[in-house]
Amino acid sequence: TYVSELVTEIQLDSSIAPGSPNFQPGDVCFISIEHTFLPDTLLDKSFVSHENPWKVHGLGHAKIIMAEGAPSAGVGIMELQGNFEGDENDNFIAISQKIDNSNDLNGLVPGNFYNVSMWLRQESISNNSVKVWISGSFDPIGIEFRNLGTSWRKYTFRFSFPPNITGIQARSAVLNIGTEFEKKIFIDEVALTEVSEQESLVKNEF
């Protein structure tokens, strides 16, 4: 819930319906915003929904923050940071999302090519990296994005989903994003798209 003590101007993109009462100074107004997610993606786009599809793993730090300068215009981004208060083997922090194969979406199809893309930046100059991989009832497929900068930059990883994977194995696929470094990593606009159609297979907003 967001509360505003002062509103100086509200601009509507369409006129108020005829017969509606006029707004008067001092009136209490309730404003709601609805986001409609088109069924063009196998990832849940929302990092700010009440049912966040991203699961957190590890002992590090993960939280959703607002950032106006982010590619998504500040709707919500993910902040990740490794844990350096305990054993060095427990530094890793990751988020994951089940790849959707419902509602007319086929999920990952064995033999097809896909792109994983996301916008990344780090808190300060350091040797941070982010690991991205697809896991499930098959050998993991992934990459490590290195040399992150302090400004937003889009990173892309293209892969082939092995043709020998069965349909049951494909339905177990999960997208994972993680880091083990002390400096904060910021993630925005994650997308998993089929190369031929360029339709997102993951919901990509934090």
Side-chain angles (χ1 to χ4, degrees):
T1 301
Y2 297 90
V3 177
S4 176
E5 298 292 340
L6 174 65
V7 176
T8 58
E9 179 182 359
I10 297 176
Q11 184 175 4
L12 303 178
D13 59 4
S14 60
S15 301
I16 296 176
S20 299
N22 294 326
F23 292 113
Q24 300 294 330
D27 286 351
V28 176
C29 303
F30 295 91
I31 303 174
S32 64
I33 301 176
E34 295 183 357
H35 294 277
T36 301
F37 299 129
L38 300 178
D40 62 351
T41 172
L42 294 186
L43 289 184
D44 188 330
K45 292 182 177 180
S46 179
F47 279 102
V48 294
S49 63
H50 294 295
E51 297 180 0
N52 196 314
W54 294 93
K55 308 302 181 184
V56 179
H57 311 275
L59 299 179
H61 159 96
K63 69 176 181 179
I64 298 167
I65 64 173
M66 299 297 168
E68 293 183 358
S72 63
V75 172
I77 67 172
M78 181 65 74
E79 175 185 298
L80 292 184
Q81 185 176 22
N83 172 45
F84 277 76
E85 296 180 356
D87 188 277
E88 63 178 8
N89 296 322
D90 296 328
N91 294 345
F92 201 78
I93 177 72
I95 56 174
S96 66
Q97 183 182 153
K98 181 84 165 56
I99 296 173
D100 195 353
N101 58 6
S102 61
N103 298 326
D104 299 325
L105 298 173
N106 295 321
L108 295 178
V109 178
N112 286 6
F113 287 83
Y114 297 90
N115 282 332
V116 177
S117 65
M118 66 195 68
W119 289 82
L120 300 170
R121 77 173 185 88
Q122 63 182 355
E123 181 181 36
S124 59
I125 298 175
S126 61
N127 293 322
N128 278 356
S129 66
V130 168
K131 296 179 180 179
V132 179
W133 71 101
I134 308 293
S135 62
S137 302
F138 47 84
D139 292 335
I141 306 165
I143 193 173
E144 184 172 6
F145 295 132
R146 300 177 179 271
N147 301 318
L148 305 186
T150 54
S151 299
W152 288 106
R153 176 183 170 190
K154 188 174 184 179
Y155 293 78
T156 302
F157 165 52
R158 177 171 294 189
F159 67 94
S160 171
F161 201 50
N164 60 339
I165 290 179
T166 67
I168 294 177
Q169 289 175 311
R171 286 193 289 273
S172 70
V174 175
L175 175 67
N176 309 274
I177 307 170
T179 185
E180 58 186 358
F181 289 88
E182 181 178 10
K183 300 298 182 181
K184 294 178 181 178
I185 298 291
F186 304 98
I187 310 168
D188 198 10
E189 289 290 330
V190 181
L192 172 55
T193 61
E194 186 172 356
V195 170
S196 60
E197 299 179 359
Q198 291 299 308
E199 293 183 351
S200 179
L201 302 184
V202 292
K203 297 180 181 178
N204 59 12
E205 292 177 0
F206 288 95

